[in-house]
Amino acid sequence: AQKVTQAQTEISVVEKEDVTLDCVYETRDTTYYLFWYKQPPSGELVFLIRRNSFDEQNEISGRYSWNFQKSTSSFNFTITASQVVDSAVYFCALSESRDDKIIFGKGTRLHILP
Amino acid sequence: DGGITQSPKYLFRKEGQNVTLSCEQNLNHDAMYWYRQDPGQGLRLIYYSQIVNDFQKGDIAEGYSVSREKKESFPLTVTSAQKNPTAFYLCASSMGEGSGNTEAFFGQGTRLTVV
């Protein structure tokens, strides 16, 4: 069965610090897809990134970077030089190749303090 | 504009009444989803549909029902059998194709309060 664990319930950092959000997943499928979403106070989920299981190349997009490691079943998300606008709940999600079902972790609430 | 529309944004109902939450998308997506969000619980999948006239139960389907008569629409009915219906409900859609290869896009959510 598929499962996503985000062990960090809540994190607070001071603005301009770097912060890493952890995500560990479980799946029996050899082909799967991982996602990160951001949920600002407005409530709507915003898609950030998708990663395929056969592509372990890490990715950087501006201040955001993602570290995908199949050996440890982890897909961690780092924000560099955090800003107050980064304050939100961040969700990691998993989908297997067999169907379109998408399972989410419980989320990490990130507070960036000015 | 293309997107997913959930209505209403806030909904109040008396205990024991069924209530239907609306979700419409004009993205021509095949797959649609309903999630429930409670504090500290993340997003839990209620139902999803990969194609018209077909849908599957998620992890917490008890007390809910859905229909998928049109590609654009995936309404969710919260029945009186649902013991704790007060929650934030999110609808989403994705291209689908049965491969899990596409991300889901979300509506703005409906906050249901049962009194």
Short mmCIF file of all heavy atoms in Angstrom, two decimals, chain B residues 36-101:
data_model
loop_
_atom_site.label_atom_id
_atom_site.label_comp_id
_atom_site.label_asym_id
_atom_site.label_seq_id
_atom_site.Cartn_x
_atom_site.Cartn_y
_atom_site.Cartn_z
N ARG B 36 -10.77 15.33 1.96
CA ARG B 36 -11.23 15.97 3.18
C ARG B 36 -10.00 16.40 3.97
O ARG B 36 -9.02 15.64 4.09
CB ARG B 36 -12.07 14.99 3.99
CG ARG B 36 -12.40 15.46 5.39
CD ARG B 36 -13.21 14.45 6.15
NE ARG B 36 -13.33 14.87 7.54
CZ ARG B 36 -14.42 14.73 8.27
NH1 ARG B 36 -15.50 14.15 7.77
NH2 ARG B 36 -14.45 15.15 9.52
N GLN B 37 -10.04 17.61 4.52
CA GLN B 37 -8.93 18.11 5.31
C GLN B 37 -9.41 18.49 6.70
O GLN B 37 -10.31 19.31 6.86
CB GLN B 37 -8.25 19.31 4.65
CG GLN B 37 -7.01 19.77 5.40
CD GLN B 37 -6.27 20.88 4.67
OE1 GLN B 37 -6.81 21.54 3.79
NE2 GLN B 37 -5.01 21.08 5.03
N ASP B 38 -8.82 17.87 7.71
CA ASP B 38 -9.06 18.21 9.10
C ASP B 38 -7.74 18.66 9.71
O ASP B 38 -6.67 18.23 9.27
CB ASP B 38 -9.57 16.99 9.87
CG ASP B 38 -10.90 16.48 9.35
OD1 ASP B 38 -11.92 17.11 9.70
OD2 ASP B 38 -10.92 15.50 8.59
N PRO B 39 -7.78 19.50 10.76
CA PRO B 39 -6.53 19.97 11.38
C PRO B 39 -5.66 18.80 11.82
O PRO B 39 -6.12 17.88 12.49
CB PRO B 39 -7.05 20.76 12.59
CG PRO B 39 -8.42 21.20 12.19
CD PRO B 39 -8.97 20.09 11.36
N GLY B 40 -4.40 18.81 11.40
CA GLY B 40 -3.46 17.78 11.79
C GLY B 40 -3.59 16.46 11.04
O GLY B 40 -2.83 15.53 11.29
N GLN B 41 -4.56 16.36 10.14
CA GLN B 41 -4.80 15.10 9.42
C GLN B 41 -4.35 15.14 7.97
O GLN B 41 -4.40 14.14 7.28
CB GLN B 41 -6.29 14.74 9.47
CG GLN B 41 -6.80 14.41 10.85
CD GLN B 41 -6.19 13.14 11.39
OE1 GLN B 41 -5.99 12.18 10.66
NE2 GLN B 41 -5.85 13.15 12.66
N GLY B 42 -3.95 16.27 7.50
CA GLY B 42 -3.58 16.37 6.09
C GLY B 42 -4.79 16.20 5.19
O GLY B 42 -5.93 16.43 5.60
N LEU B 43 -4.54 15.74 3.98
CA LEU B 43 -5.61 15.51 3.01
C LEU B 43 -5.88 14.02 2.95
O LEU B 43 -4.97 13.22 2.68
CB LEU B 43 -5.20 16.01 1.62
CG LEU B 43 -5.49 17.46 1.30
CD1 LEU B 43 -4.63 18.38 2.14
CD2 LEU B 43 -5.26 17.73 -0.18
N ARG B 44 -7.13 13.65 3.13
CA ARG B 44 -7.50 12.25 3.05
C ARG B 44 -8.46 12.06 1.88
O ARG B 44 -9.43 12.80 1.73
CB ARG B 44 -8.14 11.78 4.37
CG ARG B 44 -7.14 11.76 5.53
CD ARG B 44 -7.75 11.21 6.79
NE ARG B 44 -8.74 12.13 7.36
CZ ARG B 44 -9.56 11.82 8.36
NH1 ARG B 44 -9.53 10.61 8.89
NH2 ARG B 44 -10.40 12.72 8.82
N LEU B 45 -8.19 11.04 1.08
CA LEU B 45 -8.94 10.81 -0.14
C LEU B 45 -10.28 10.17 0.16
O LEU B 45 -10.34 9.12 0.80
CB LEU B 45 -8.12 9.92 -1.08
CG LEU B 45 -8.70 9.62 -2.45
CD1 LEU B 45 -8.86 10.90 -3.27
CD2 LEU B 45 -7.82 8.62 -3.19
N ILE B 46 -11.34 10.77 -0.36
CA ILE B 46 -12.69 10.24 -0.15
C ILE B 46 -13.09 9.36 -1.33
O ILE B 46 -13.42 8.18 -1.16
CB ILE B 46 -13.72 11.39 0.00
CG1 ILE B 46 -13.30 12.35 1.12
CG2 ILE B 46 -15.10 10.82 0.29
CD1 ILE B 46 -14.17 13.60 1.21
N TYR B 47 -13.11 9.93 -2.51
CA TYR B 47 -13.42 9.22 -3.75
C TYR B 47 -12.58 9.81 -4.87
O TYR B 47 -12.17 10.97 -4.80
CB TYR B 47 -14.89 9.39 -4.13
CG TYR B 47 -15.85 8.38 -3.56
CD1 TYR B 47 -16.60 8.66 -2.42
CD2 TYR B 47 -16.04 7.14 -4.18
CE1 TYR B 47 -17.49 7.74 -1.90
CE2 TYR B 47 -16.94 6.22 -3.67
CZ TYR B 47 -17.66 6.52 -2.53
OH TYR B 47 -18.54 5.61 -2.02
N TYR B 48 -12.34 8.99 -5.90
CA TYR B 48 -11.75 9.53 -7.11
C TYR B 48 -12.36 8.83 -8.31
O TYR B 48 -12.88 7.71 -8.21
CB TYR B 48 -10.22 9.43 -7.11
CG TYR B 48 -9.65 8.04 -7.17
CD1 TYR B 48 -9.03 7.57 -8.32
CD2 TYR B 48 -9.67 7.21 -6.06
CE1 TYR B 48 -8.47 6.31 -8.37
CE2 TYR B 48 -9.12 5.94 -6.10
CZ TYR B 48 -8.52 5.50 -7.25
OH TYR B 48 -7.96 4.24 -7.28
N SER B 49 -12.28 9.52 -9.45
CA SER B 49 -12.87 9.01 -10.67
C SER B 49 -11.87 9.18 -11.80
O SER B 49 -11.32 10.27 -11.99
CB SER B 49 -14.16 9.79 -10.99
OG SER B 49 -14.60 9.53 -12.30
N GLN B 50 -11.63 8.13 -12.52
CA GLN B 50 -10.67 8.20 -13.62
C GLN B 50 -11.35 8.44 -14.96
O GLN B 50 -10.68 8.79 -15.94
CB GLN B 50 -9.85 6.90 -13.68
CG GLN B 50 -8.98 6.70 -12.44
CD GLN B 50 -8.14 5.44 -12.53
OE1 GLN B 50 -8.40 4.48 -11.81
NE2 GLN B 50 -7.14 5.45 -13.37
N ILE B 51 -12.66 8.22 -15.00
CA ILE B 51 -13.37 8.36 -16.26
C ILE B 51 -14.86 8.52 -15.96
O ILE B 51 -15.32 8.14 -14.86
CB ILE B 51 -13.11 7.12 -17.16
CG1 ILE B 51 -13.47 7.41 -18.60
CG2 ILE B 51 -13.83 5.91 -16.61
CD1 ILE B 51 -12.97 6.33 -19.55
N VAL B 52 -15.58 9.06 -16.91
CA VAL B 52 -17.02 9.25 -16.73
C VAL B 52 -17.70 7.92 -16.42
O VAL B 52 -17.32 6.88 -16.94
CB VAL B 52 -17.62 9.89 -18.00
CG1 VAL B 52 -19.14 9.97 -17.91
CG2 VAL B 52 -17.05 11.27 -18.23
N ASN B 53 -18.69 8.00 -15.52
CA ASN B 53 -19.50 6.84 -15.11
C ASN B 53 -18.70 5.78 -14.36
O ASN B 53 -19.13 4.62 -14.28
CB ASN B 53 -20.21 6.20 -16.32
CG ASN B 53 -21.27 7.11 -16.89
OD1 ASN B 53 -21.97 7.80 -16.15
ND2 ASN B 53 -21.39 7.12 -18.20
N ASP B 54 -17.56 6.17 -13.81
CA ASP B 54 -16.77 5.24 -13.02
C ASP B 54 -16.08 5.99 -11.89
O ASP B 54 -15.61 7.12 -12.09
CB ASP B 54 -15.72 4.55 -13.89
CG ASP B 54 -15.01 3.44 -13.11
OD1 ASP B 54 -15.70 2.73 -12.34
OD2 ASP B 54 -13.79 3.30 -13.27
N PHE B 55 -16.05 5.40 -10.70
CA PHE B 55 -15.36 6.03 -9.59
C PHE B 55 -14.95 4.95 -8.59
O PHE B 55 -15.52 3.85 -8.57
CB PHE B 55 -16.20 7.12 -8.91
CG PHE B 55 -17.63 6.71 -8.61
CD1 PHE B 55 -17.93 5.99 -7.47
CD2 PHE B 55 -18.66 7.07 -9.47
CE1 PHE B 55 -19.23 5.63 -7.19
CE2 PHE B 55 -19.96 6.71 -9.20
CZ PHE B 55 -20.26 5.98 -8.06
N GLN B 56 -13.95 5.28 -7.77
CA GLN B 56 -13.43 4.34 -6.79
C GLN B 56 -13.41 4.98 -5.40
O GLN B 56 -13.21 6.19 -5.28
CB GLN B 56 -11.99 3.90 -7.13
CG GLN B 56 -11.88 3.00 -8.33
CD GLN B 56 -11.97 3.76 -9.62
OE1 GLN B 56 -11.41 4.84 -9.74
NE2 GLN B 56 -12.68 3.20 -10.59
N LYS B 57 -13.57 4.14 -4.40
CA LYS B 57 -13.49 4.63 -3.02
C LYS B 57 -12.05 4.96 -2.67
O LYS B 57 -11.12 4.26 -3.07
CB LYS B 57 -14.01 3.58 -2.06
CG LYS B 57 -15.50 3.32 -2.17
CD LYS B 57 -15.93 2.30 -1.13
CE LYS B 57 -17.43 2.05 -1.22
NZ LYS B 57 -17.88 1.06 -0.22
N GLY B 58 -11.90 6.01 -1.88
CA GLY B 58 -10.61 6.32 -1.31
C GLY B 58 -10.51 5.72 0.08
O GLY B 58 -11.14 4.70 0.39
N ASP B 59 -9.75 6.37 0.94
CA ASP B 59 -9.49 5.82 2.27
C ASP B 59 -10.62 6.06 3.27
O ASP B 59 -10.72 5.36 4.27
CB ASP B 59 -8.19 6.41 2.82
CG ASP B 59 -6.99 6.06 1.96
OD1 ASP B 59 -6.94 4.91 1.48
OD2 ASP B 59 -6.12 6.93 1.75
N ILE B 60 -11.47 7.06 3.01
CA ILE B 60 -12.51 7.41 3.99
C ILE B 60 -13.85 7.60 3.30
O ILE B 60 -14.54 8.59 3.50
CB ILE B 60 -12.11 8.67 4.80
CG1 ILE B 60 -11.82 9.84 3.88
CG2 ILE B 60 -10.90 8.39 5.69
CD1 ILE B 60 -11.77 11.18 4.61
N ALA B 61 -14.29 6.66 2.50
CA ALA B 61 -15.50 6.82 1.69
C ALA B 61 -16.81 6.67 2.48
O ALA B 61 -17.87 7.10 2.03
CB ALA B 61 -15.48 5.82 0.55
N GLU B 62 -16.74 6.08 3.66
CA GLU B 62 -17.98 5.81 4.40
C GLU B 62 -18.72 7.10 4.74
O GLU B 62 -18.14 8.04 5.28
CB GLU B 62 -17.65 5.05 5.69
CG GLU B 62 -18.89 4.60 6.45
CD GLU B 62 -18.57 3.75 7.65
OE1 GLU B 62 -17.40 3.32 7.79
OE2 GLU B 62 -19.47 3.52 8.48
N GLY B 63 -20.02 7.12 4.42
CA GLY B 63 -20.83 8.29 4.71
C GLY B 63 -20.85 9.30 3.58
O GLY B 63 -21.46 10.36 3.71
N TYR B 64 -20.20 8.99 2.48
CA TYR B 64 -20.14 9.88 1.32
C TYR B 64 -20.61 9.12 0.08
O TYR B 64 -20.52 7.91 0.01
CB TYR B 64 -18.71 10.37 1.06
CG TYR B 64 -18.10 11.17 2.18
CD1 TYR B 64 -17.25 10.56 3.10
CD2 TYR B 64 -18.36 12.53 2.31
CE1 TYR B 64 -16.68 11.29 4.13
CE2 TYR B 64 -17.78 13.27 3.34
CZ TYR B 64 -16.95 12.64 4.24
OH TYR B 64 -16.38 13.36 5.26
N SER B 65 -21.11 9.88 -0.91
CA SER B 65 -21.41 9.30 -2.21
C SER B 65 -21.06 10.31 -3.30
O SER B 65 -21.01 11.52 -3.05
CB SER B 65 -22.89 8.89 -2.31
OG SER B 65 -23.71 10.05 -2.28
N VAL B 66 -20.77 9.80 -4.49
CA VAL B 66 -20.41 10.65 -5.62
C VAL B 66 -21.09 10.15 -6.88
O VAL B 66 -21.64 9.04 -6.91
CB VAL B 66 -18.88 10.67 -5.87
CG1 VAL B 66 -18.15 11.34 -4.73
CG2 VAL B 66 -18.36 9.26 -6.12
N SER B 67 -21.04 10.96 -7.91
CA SER B 67 -21.49 10.56 -9.24
C SER B 67 -20.56 11.21 -10.25
O SER B 67 -19.95 12.26 -9.97
CB SER B 67 -22.94 10.96 -9.48
OG SER B 67 -23.08 12.38 -9.45
N ARG B 68 -20.47 10.61 -11.42
CA ARG B 68 -19.64 11.20 -12.49
C ARG B 68 -20.38 10.97 -13.81
O ARG B 68 -20.01 10.16 -14.65
CB ARG B 68 -18.27 10.54 -12.53
CG ARG B 68 -17.30 11.22 -13.51
CD ARG B 68 -16.61 12.38 -12.92
NE ARG B 68 -15.84 13.14 -13.88
CZ ARG B 68 -14.59 12.84 -14.28
NH1 ARG B 68 -13.99 11.74 -13.82
NH2 ARG B 68 -13.96 13.62 -15.12
N GLU B 69 -21.44 11.74 -13.97
CA GLU B 69 -22.26 11.60 -15.18
C GLU B 69 -21.70 12.42 -16.33
O GLU B 69 -21.99 12.14 -17.50
CB GLU B 69 -23.69 12.02 -14.86
CG GLU B 69 -24.37 11.12 -13.83
CD GLU B 69 -25.76 11.61 -13.45
OE1 GLU B 69 -26.21 12.64 -14.01
OE2 GLU B 69 -26.38 10.97 -12.59
N LYS B 70 -20.94 13.45 -16.00
CA LYS B 70 -20.32 14.28 -17.02
C LYS B 70 -18.83 14.42 -16.71
O LYS B 70 -18.43 14.41 -15.54
CB LYS B 70 -20.95 15.67 -17.05
CG LYS B 70 -22.42 15.69 -17.41
CD LYS B 70 -22.91 17.13 -17.55
CE LYS B 70 -22.76 17.91 -16.26
NZ LYS B 70 -23.31 19.30 -16.39
N LYS B 71 -18.05 14.61 -17.72
CA LYS B 71 -16.60 14.72 -17.54
C LYS B 71 -16.26 15.93 -16.67
O LYS B 71 -15.32 15.91 -15.89
CB LYS B 71 -15.94 14.87 -18.90
CG LYS B 71 -14.41 14.81 -18.87
CD LYS B 71 -13.87 14.83 -20.28
CE LYS B 71 -12.36 14.64 -20.27
NZ LYS B 71 -11.80 14.60 -21.66
N GLU B 72 -17.05 17.01 -16.80
CA GLU B 72 -16.72 18.26 -16.12
C GLU B 72 -17.15 18.30 -14.67
O GLU B 72 -16.74 19.18 -13.92
CB GLU B 72 -17.40 19.44 -16.83
CG GLU B 72 -17.26 19.48 -18.34
CD GLU B 72 -18.22 18.54 -19.04
OE1 GLU B 72 -19.42 18.57 -18.75
OE2 GLU B 72 -17.74 17.73 -19.86
N SER B 73 -17.98 17.38 -14.25
CA SER B 73 -18.62 17.52 -12.96
C SER B 73 -18.44 16.28 -12.07
O SER B 73 -18.57 15.14 -12.54
CB SER B 73 -20.12 17.77 -13.17
OG SER B 73 -20.79 17.90 -11.95
N PHE B 74 -18.19 16.51 -10.78
CA PHE B 74 -17.97 15.40 -9.85
C PHE B 74 -18.53 15.81 -8.49
O PHE B 74 -17.79 16.08 -7.54
CB PHE B 74 -16.48 15.09 -9.76
CG PHE B 74 -16.12 13.81 -9.05
CD1 PHE B 74 -16.85 12.65 -9.23
CD2 PHE B 74 -15.00 13.75 -8.22
CE1 PHE B 74 -16.50 11.47 -8.60
CE2 PHE B 74 -14.63 12.56 -7.59
CZ PHE B 74 -15.40 11.43 -7.78
N PRO B 75 -19.85 15.84 -8.33
CA PRO B 75 -20.44 16.28 -7.06
C PRO B 75 -20.27 15.25 -5.94
O PRO B 75 -20.30 14.05 -6.19
CB PRO B 75 -21.91 16.47 -7.41
CG PRO B 75 -22.14 15.58 -8.60
CD PRO B 75 -20.85 15.55 -9.35
N LEU B 76 -20.11 15.76 -4.74
CA LEU B 76 -19.94 14.93 -3.55
C LEU B 76 -21.13 15.15 -2.62
O LEU B 76 -21.44 16.29 -2.27
CB LEU B 76 -18.66 15.30 -2.82
CG LEU B 76 -18.42 14.64 -1.44
CD1 LEU B 76 -18.03 13.18 -1.62
CD2 LEU B 76 -17.35 15.38 -0.67
N THR B 77 -21.78 14.07 -2.22
CA THR B 77 -22.87 14.16 -1.25
C THR B 77 -22.40 13.65 0.10
O THR B 77 -21.89 12.53 0.19
CB THR B 77 -24.10 13.37 -1.71
OG1 THR B 77 -24.60 13.94 -2.92
CG2 THR B 77 -25.20 13.41 -0.66
N VAL B 78 -22.54 14.50 1.10
CA VAL B 78 -22.23 14.12 2.46
C VAL B 78 -23.54 13.66 3.09
O VAL B 78 -24.48 14.46 3.24
CB VAL B 78 -21.63 15.30 3.24
CG1 VAL B 78 -21.20 14.87 4.63
CG2 VAL B 78 -20.45 15.90 2.48
N THR B 79 -23.64 12.40 3.40
CA THR B 79 -24.90 11.88 3.89
C THR B 79 -24.99 11.97 5.41
O THR B 79 -23.98 12.22 6.09
CB THR B 79 -25.09 10.41 3.46
OG1 THR B 79 -24.24 9.58 4.25
CG2 THR B 79 -24.78 10.22 1.99
N SER B 80 -26.17 11.71 5.90
CA SER B 80 -26.38 11.76 7.36
C SER B 80 -25.63 10.63 8.06
O SER B 80 -25.46 10.64 9.28
CB SER B 80 -27.87 11.67 7.67
OG SER B 80 -28.43 10.51 7.09
N ALA B 81 -25.14 9.66 7.29
CA ALA B 81 -24.37 8.55 7.88
C ALA B 81 -22.94 8.94 8.23
O ALA B 81 -22.26 8.22 8.96
CB ALA B 81 -24.36 7.37 6.91
N GLN B 82 -22.51 10.07 7.72
CA GLN B 82 -21.14 10.53 8.02
C GLN B 82 -21.14 11.11 9.43
O GLN B 82 -21.80 12.11 9.71
CB GLN B 82 -20.70 11.56 6.98
CG GLN B 82 -19.43 12.34 7.33
CD GLN B 82 -18.25 11.47 7.71
OE1 GLN B 82 -17.60 11.66 8.74
NE2 GLN B 82 -17.95 10.50 6.89
N LYS B 83 -20.36 10.50 10.33
CA LYS B 83 -20.44 10.84 11.73
C LYS B 83 -19.87 12.22 12.07
O LYS B 83 -20.36 12.92 12.97
CB LYS B 83 -19.72 9.78 12.56
CG LYS B 83 -20.43 8.44 12.59
CD LYS B 83 -19.71 7.44 13.47
CE LYS B 83 -20.51 6.17 13.66
NZ LYS B 83 -20.86 5.50 12.40
N ASN B 84 -18.83 12.62 11.39
CA ASN B 84 -18.20 13.92 11.68
C ASN B 84 -18.02 14.70 10.38
O ASN B 84 -16.91 14.80 9.86
CB ASN B 84 -16.84 13.72 12.35
CG ASN B 84 -16.95 13.03 13.69
OD1 ASN B 84 -17.55 13.56 14.62
ND2 ASN B 84 -16.38 11.85 13.80
N PRO B 85 -19.07 15.25 9.83
CA PRO B 85 -18.99 15.86 8.51
C PRO B 85 -18.34 17.24 8.48
O PRO B 85 -17.93 17.68 7.41
CB PRO B 85 -20.45 15.95 8.08
CG PRO B 85 -21.21 16.04 9.37
CD PRO B 85 -20.45 15.20 10.34
N THR B 86 -18.24 17.91 9.59
CA THR B 86 -17.66 19.25 9.60
C THR B 86 -16.19 19.17 9.23
O THR B 86 -15.40 18.52 9.92
CB THR B 86 -17.82 19.90 10.98
OG1 THR B 86 -19.21 20.11 11.22
CG2 THR B 86 -17.08 21.23 11.04
N ALA B 87 -15.81 19.80 8.10
CA ALA B 87 -14.44 19.74 7.61
C ALA B 87 -14.30 20.67 6.41
O ALA B 87 -15.26 21.27 5.95
CB ALA B 87 -14.08 18.31 7.19
N PHE B 88 -13.08 20.74 5.90
CA PHE B 88 -12.76 21.48 4.69
C PHE B 88 -12.64 20.46 3.57
O PHE B 88 -11.87 19.50 3.67
CB PHE B 88 -11.45 22.25 4.90
CG PHE B 88 -11.09 23.19 3.79
CD1 PHE B 88 -11.99 24.13 3.33
CD2 PHE B 88 -9.81 23.15 3.23
CE1 PHE B 88 -11.63 25.02 2.31
CE2 PHE B 88 -9.45 24.03 2.21
CZ PHE B 88 -10.37 24.96 1.76
N TYR B 89 -13.43 20.65 2.50
CA TYR B 89 -13.45 19.68 1.40
C TYR B 89 -12.81 20.29 0.15
O TYR B 89 -13.16 21.38 -0.28
CB TYR B 89 -14.89 19.26 1.10
CG TYR B 89 -15.49 18.43 2.21
CD1 TYR B 89 -16.15 19.03 3.28
CD2 TYR B 89 -15.39 17.04 2.21
CE1 TYR B 89 -16.68 18.28 4.31
CE2 TYR B 89 -15.92 16.27 3.23
CZ TYR B 89 -16.56 16.90 4.28
OH TYR B 89 -17.09 16.14 5.31
N LEU B 90 -11.89 19.53 -0.42
CA LEU B 90 -11.16 19.99 -1.59
C LEU B 90 -11.40 19.05 -2.77
O LEU B 90 -11.30 17.84 -2.64
CB LEU B 90 -9.66 20.04 -1.30
CG LEU B 90 -9.20 21.22 -0.44
CD1 LEU B 90 -7.89 20.91 0.24
CD2 LEU B 90 -9.08 22.47 -1.29
N CYS B 91 -11.71 19.66 -3.90
CA CYS B 91 -11.89 18.92 -5.14
C CYS B 91 -10.67 19.16 -6.02
O CYS B 91 -10.07 20.26 -5.99
CB CYS B 91 -13.16 19.38 -5.84
SG CYS B 91 -13.48 18.58 -7.42
N ALA B 92 -10.29 18.17 -6.79
CA ALA B 92 -9.13 18.31 -7.68
C ALA B 92 -9.37 17.56 -8.97
O ALA B 92 -10.26 16.70 -9.05
CB ALA B 92 -7.87 17.79 -6.99
N SER B 93 -8.57 17.88 -9.98
CA SER B 93 -8.63 17.13 -11.23
C SER B 93 -7.23 16.98 -11.80
O SER B 93 -6.33 17.77 -11.48
CB SER B 93 -9.55 17.82 -12.24
OG SER B 93 -8.96 19.00 -12.74
N SER B 94 -7.05 15.96 -12.62
CA SER B 94 -5.77 15.77 -13.31
C SER B 94 -6.05 15.17 -14.68
O SER B 94 -7.14 14.68 -14.94
CB SER B 94 -4.84 14.87 -12.51
OG SER B 94 -5.26 13.52 -12.60
N MET B 95 -5.05 15.21 -15.53
CA MET B 95 -5.23 14.65 -16.87
C MET B 95 -5.54 13.18 -16.81
O MET B 95 -6.21 12.63 -17.66
CB MET B 95 -3.98 14.91 -17.72
CG MET B 95 -3.84 16.35 -18.13
SD MET B 95 -2.33 16.64 -19.06
CE MET B 95 -2.61 15.59 -20.48
N GLY B 96 -5.00 12.52 -15.77
CA GLY B 96 -5.33 11.12 -15.59
C GLY B 96 -4.55 10.23 -16.53
O GLY B 96 -3.34 10.19 -16.51
N GLU B 97 -5.26 9.55 -17.40
CA GLU B 97 -4.68 8.57 -18.33
C GLU B 97 -4.35 7.27 -17.62
O GLU B 97 -3.72 6.40 -18.20
CB GLU B 97 -3.42 9.11 -19.02
CG GLU B 97 -3.65 10.40 -19.79
CD GLU B 97 -2.36 11.05 -20.24
OE1 GLU B 97 -1.28 10.47 -20.01
OE2 GLU B 97 -2.43 12.13 -20.81
N GLY B 98 -4.73 7.16 -16.37
CA GLY B 98 -4.55 5.91 -15.68
C GLY B 98 -3.11 5.57 -15.37
O GLY B 98 -2.78 4.43 -15.07
N SER B 99 -2.25 6.55 -15.41
CA SER B 99 -0.84 6.28 -15.20
C SER B 99 -0.27 6.94 -13.97
O SER B 99 0.88 6.69 -13.61
CB SER B 99 -0.04 6.75 -16.41
OG SER B 99 -0.10 8.17 -16.48
N GLY B 100 -1.03 7.78 -13.33
CA GLY B 100 -0.53 8.52 -12.17
C GLY B 100 0.53 9.53 -12.54
O GLY B 100 1.22 10.06 -11.69
N ASN B 101 0.65 9.82 -13.81
CA ASN B 101 1.78 10.62 -14.28
C ASN B 101 1.52 12.11 -14.30
O ASN B 101 2.33 12.88 -14.77
CB ASN B 101 2.15 10.15 -15.71
CG ASN B 101 3.44 10.78 -16.19
OD1 ASN B 101 4.25 11.24 -15.41
ND2 ASN B 101 3.60 10.82 -17.50
#
